[in-house]
Amino acid sequence: MPNSSRRKLCNLYTVTKIFMREAGFDVVYSGERAVDPGDEALLAEAAAAGRVFITKDHDIGALVHFSLKRHAGVLLMSDLGDASAETDLILSALAMHGATLAFGAFLRATAAGVRVPSA
């Protein structure tokens, strides 16, 4: 996987951030900020930096699809209620669809797998 596809901005569990960093991903974790700048600012920051945005916040989907906000790839996760399961799903999604995300795709990951929009 190219180095640029390993750059992520995450809004998930702290443990997921730790596992992703240990796996070699360059992760910016929104929970490490003193102040939450809001969804639109986080999405804009990720887009400007060329980072894929990984989140469980469905408001990001509305920003992308309805407000047509620019992004550099979004992985919208279902809340599985288990940090380990979510981390496994993220790592699997990135392994299988990292290049697609790096090209700016919006993907949805659930317990059933990753939904890739048709071309």
Side-chain angles (χ1 to χ4, degrees):
M1 182 181 316
N3 191 32
S4 63
S5 67
R6 299 187 76 78
R7 295 168 40 100
K8 313 296 175 212
L9 192 150
C10 294
N11 182 17
L12 299 164
Y13 289 117
T14 300
V15 70
T16 302
K17 166 207 64 170
I18 292 167
F19 283 129
M20 289 186 68
R21 286 180 176 162
E22 288 176 353
F25 289 94
D26 177 12
V27 176
V28 173
Y29 177 57
S30 62
E32 294 173 332
R33 297 164 187 261
V35 177
D36 181 354
D39 294 341
E40 194 167 337
L42 288 171
L43 187 62
E45 176 187 330
R51 290 182 178 273
V52 170
F53 195 92
I54 303 172
T55 187
K56 293 189 285 186
D57 186 343
H58 289 261
D59 291 340
I60 297 299
L63 285 172
V64 169
H65 292 295
F66 300 118
S67 299
L68 304 177
K69 297 297 179 183
R70 188 172 74 90
H71 65 90
V74 173
L75 179 60
L76 180 60
M77 301 288 302
S78 287
D79 187 345
L80 303 180
D82 177 346
S84 179
E86 289 178 11
T87 300
D88 289 346
L89 181 57
I90 290 168
L91 294 176
S92 174
L94 293 174
M96 294 177 65
H97 305 288
T100 303
L101 281 164
F103 281 108
F106 185 99
L107 305 181
R108 181 83 169 85
T110 68
V114 178
R115 187 175 67 205
V116 179
S118 57

